[in-house]
Amino acid sequence: MPHAEDTTSVSQNPEPAFYRLNDVIRITALSRSSIYRRIAAGEFPAQTSLGGRAKGWRREALQAWIGDPSGFRPLTSCEVQQSTSGARVRRVAAP
């Protein structure tokens, strides 16, 4: 007796919260050096520390840059606060 195929739809992988450098290069079609040059000039979102030596770009920041590359402005201030549970929380303000 043949097995019935599972006809339920397989959920696609959700969008990642962070993209690594190879993904950013593929998505933006910019070279590695162009990405870092634009970060230094304030024309591209900076990467975020993911722990250890790992770095990544936030999906929201990349989407904002893709939506309007010439109008992108980096975040201007970042304040680290302590939550009531003792965890460090970063508060970021846009320009």
Side-chain angles (χ1 to χ4, degrees), residues 26-46:
R26 181 182 48 81
I27 291 168
T28 63
L30 295 172
S31 68
R32 179 182 181 277
S33 59
S34 292
I35 290 170
Y36 287 115
R37 187 173 31 249
R38 288 176 184 225
I39 290 171
E43 299 170 353
F44 195 81

Side-chain angles (χ1 to χ4, degrees), residues 27-90:
I27 291 168
T28 63
L30 295 172
S31 68
R32 179 182 181 277
S33 59
S34 292
I35 290 170
Y36 287 115
R37 187 173 31 249
R38 288 176 184 225
I39 290 171
E43 299 170 353
F44 195 81
Q47 65 270 37
T48 302
S49 175
L50 301 177
R53 291 178 21 193
K55 305 282 185 194
W57 281 262
R58 292 186 177 277
R59 178 185 46 186
E60 297 84 12
L62 284 178
Q63 288 174 339
W65 182 85
I66 290 168
D68 187 14
S70 62
F72 176 79
R73 298 292 173 256
L75 299 173
T76 56
S77 68
C78 178
E79 178 183 326
V80 177
Q81 299 175 340
Q82 205 124 19
S83 71
T84 56
S85 64
R88 290 176 45 185
V89 179
R90 216 182 311 188

